[in-house]
Amino acid sequence: MANDSLMANAIRALAMDAVQQANSGHPGAPMGMADIAVALWRRHLRHNPKNPHWADRDRFVLSNGHASMLVYALLHLTGYDLPLGELKGFRQLHSKTPGHPEVDVTPGVETTTGPLGQGVTNAVGMALAEKLLAAEFNREGHAIVDHHTYVFLGDGCLMEGISHEACALAGAWKLNKLVAVYDDNGISIDGQVTPWFIDDTPARFKAYGWNVIGPVDGHDVEAVSRAIADAKRSAEKPTLIVAKTHIGKGSPNRANTAKAHGEPLGADEIKLTRSALGWQHEPFELPKAVYEEWDARAKGDALEADWDKRFAAYRAAHPELAAEFVRRMKGELPKNFAQVAVDAAIAAHTKAETVASRKASQIALEAFTAAMPELLGGSADLTGSNLTNTKSTPPLRFDQSGDVVMTEGNATGESVKRIGRHVNYGVREFGMAAIMNGVALHGGYIPYGGTFLTFSDYSRNAIRMAALMKRRVIHVFTHDSIGLGEDGPTHQSIEHAASLRLIPRLDVWRPGDTAETAVAWAVALQNADRPTALLLSRQNLPYAPKTDLGDISRGAYVLAEPSEVGAEEPLAVLIATGSEVQLALKAQEELARQGISVRVVSMPSTTTFDRQDREYKESVLPQGLPRIAIEAGVTDFWWKYGCAAVVGIDSFGESAPANVLFQHFGFTPDNVADTVRAVLLKQDE
């Protein structure tokens, strides 16, 4: 149709003009996928440009995020708050059109994509959240959660291993409202992909349990639209649409070449392309007819108004469920959260149990998951080790027809069937982390998932993306040090705590006992705009007596003054985290017997402590007193606190029982005491 061609060419023109003006970017994919975009955005996507956060909108993810000008053109043309001036500022400082799409920067962008493969994985998380919310909240005659998740992806996304992790799970979970369109153009940065990418992609996805459509002509809007319509009818499988396209479509000399992928077409080629497309307009000039065809505001208003009417009926029939749905989608904690958090911390303090902090985490989770139905847990095939499951979180399962298996329960005063809330991710740490990001982005759930701390290396880029996107995702990392023992250096975390602390906006907690762990969980759940990593021990940790629990949430606090062991004013400060807190307390006692007084500071969260005001920091770490840090990890991190010495480990671990390893690497009261004496002696010289 003539209008389809006009609408697609508008995308092509905006893409090549913006990339040319920025002298940076990727025009080829937007130009090649323009017709696919017309089919989806004009004929199927349910969205409202006036309200990008409408709860029941379809989600759209551009997984091949380098093609960002595609989504920017679509958002501008359909009527989002993205004026033409922002497209002219593509890739420039403080514009709403950064090099790769960023959530909360550009209205209508659902997730931050760029690292290939994570966008499609986020989309799996979004589709999972939609399916679970529908099972939890929809009632007969009231389908208030009923939308699709669409994702565009390219060869690069499919080559990244994370796509295998995520797409296999999507098939296992029967996410039938997930529709992926594969831009099969055969080109990547290094040229034709056939020498290094020979996968039978349709067969691969069929093996995952997906519905596969195509190949279809990606430049035939009608054919793509029919494929999307067929995909929407899938009852129990996600769908992959294979769309054959020409990268840089319309460019006489750059189409079907790597040159179209990641650099401007150039002024001469753009002139030739305009002529080839019949686009007789100046750069960034769009005819009125284009805006009229693309404008989705009236349709979006009507779609949302219809949903509002249906939600009003739902609210009348199920007022408490409706209120709960609104709270959950806003990301607000339950009204009784503060009391639940206080009760959990006090219970831990009162019982003063000697348990591993991974067990302390499960104890805290028992309280929080019982009070918070939005908590969606999981583990990467280590549930019995991570202890992420609770009595309130039965395993998530799906029946043969794709429906969520429900269990008997009680919610909001009425007897209902409850969804499983513990996800078996399998051995897929990276996929788990990025799927949790998608769940958090969708809204309605607070995701948490567990694995061993050393495997945070697999998850790291998705953890970074959660921090960049300011999303509440909680990572439960157990087996946090050489205390893991006999599994040896491959599984013993040495540099991981320090490495995670370097990620901006990621809160990292390494609690030393049950009370600190309960507080760490409470803070993590309150962190609405940042992810959290909880680093937890395998070995049992004695409870450290405390006079007050109030300052734990500030990341560091004075655990024991010298007076508590009969000594005078402190001569030094011992700073310890996690399992090493007990070591510091024992060293304090030993030093006191020798007439040397030291203060013990427990610092379960350096990242939280760093955000405190100067007055509080100096009250915990007074000026003029030498500081000695103790942590079973690399020492370099601790010098930022002005330490005079660090008792740490700057090598890989060994295979042996934990108690043998701690002795071998110098994590003993005697060695800590010797270190303190050496520091004080040097100070006196």
Side-chain angles (χ1 to χ4, degrees), residues 426-508:
V427 188
R428 301 181 178 98
E429 295 89 355
F430 193 8
M432 175 180 70
I435 286 170
M436 290 197 296
N437 289 351
V439 169
L441 286 158
H442 182 280
Y445 295 102
I446 299 174
Y448 67 92
T451 187
F452 288 177
L453 177 56
T454 190
F455 302 143
S456 65
D457 285 341
Y458 288 135
S459 311
R460 185 178 178 86
N461 199 263
I463 298 170
R464 180 180 187 271
M465 295 305 293
L468 181 61
M469 295 188 287
K470 303 178 183 178
R471 284 316 188 261
R472 178 167 41 195
V473 178
I474 302 172
H475 294 271
V476 180
F477 292 126
T478 67
H479 298 58
D480 69 340
S481 72
I482 57 172
L484 171 60
E486 292 87 343
D487 276 353
T490 60
H491 284 52
Q492 291 167 6
S493 304
I494 301 300
E495 76 278 20
H496 298 76
S499 177
L500 289 170
R501 290 167 181 149
L502 294 176
I503 299 177
R505 296 195 67 83
L506 174 67
D507 251 11
V508 181

Side-chain angles (χ1 to χ4, degrees), residues 11 14-15 18-19 24-31 33 60 62-76 82 87 90-91 96-102 106 109 111 113-114 261:
I11 294 173
L14 286 172
V19 171
S24 173
H26 303 75
M31 296 172 73
M33 298 191 77
F60 172 75
L62 184 68
S63 190
N64 44 342
H66 55 272
S68 55
M69 266 311 302
L70 176 67
V71 71
Y72 297 153
L74 288 164
L75 294 169
H76 169 70
L82 193 68
L87 274 64
F90 178 57
R91 288 188 163 221
K96 292 183 180 179
T97 51
H100 292 79
E102 295 184 34
T106 313
V109 167
T111 180
T113 51
H261 175 80

